[in-house]
Amino acid sequence: SGTIQVCNSSYGNTGWLGIASISLSGGHIVAGSTKLNDTYFADPRYNTPSWKQLVACQEIGHDYGLGHQDEDFSTDATSSCMEYT
């Protein structure tokens, strides 16, 4: 409770590079966790500092309760890690 844990491992071909989970109490986030999937980060397409920073930032943002700002891969409207570009 009161923490966000960030872990990385080879979680397999799950379909996600990163995933966030939260725990709620009384409608408030009381803990969070982010998993970063090394299975995909071993692929040269994703094995870059930019991809790793984007995914980590976005999943930790979800742990704090933030949603996606833009889910269009062809735009960069906000320059935020909470959009897909």
Side-chain angles (χ1 to χ4, degrees):
S1 183
T3 66
I4 293 175
Q5 303 292 317
V6 180
C7 306
N8 67 298
S9 187
S10 296
Y11 295 106
N13 294 313
T14 58
W16 48 263
L17 278 77
I19 194 162
S21 301
I22 57 172
S23 297
L24 301 173
S25 178
H28 298 280
I29 297 171
V30 294
S33 67
T34 287
K35 293 180 180 178
L36 303 172
N37 194 345
D38 289 341
T39 302
Y40 293 103
F41 287 121
D43 181 324
R45 176 180 174 192
Y46 300 115
N47 190 12
T48 67
S50 295
W51 266 104
K52 291 176 181 180
Q53 290 170 8
L54 170 71
V55 174
C57 178
Q58 187 172 100
E59 299 311 327
I60 293 168
H62 288 318
D63 290 329
Y64 281 103
L66 300 177
H68 296 137
Q69 293 182 345
D70 183 1
E71 295 179 350
D72 184 345
F73 281 101
S74 65
T75 66
D76 190 8
T78 67
S79 298
S80 166
C81 71
M82 295 312 295
E83 71 170 73
Y84 281 175
T85 309

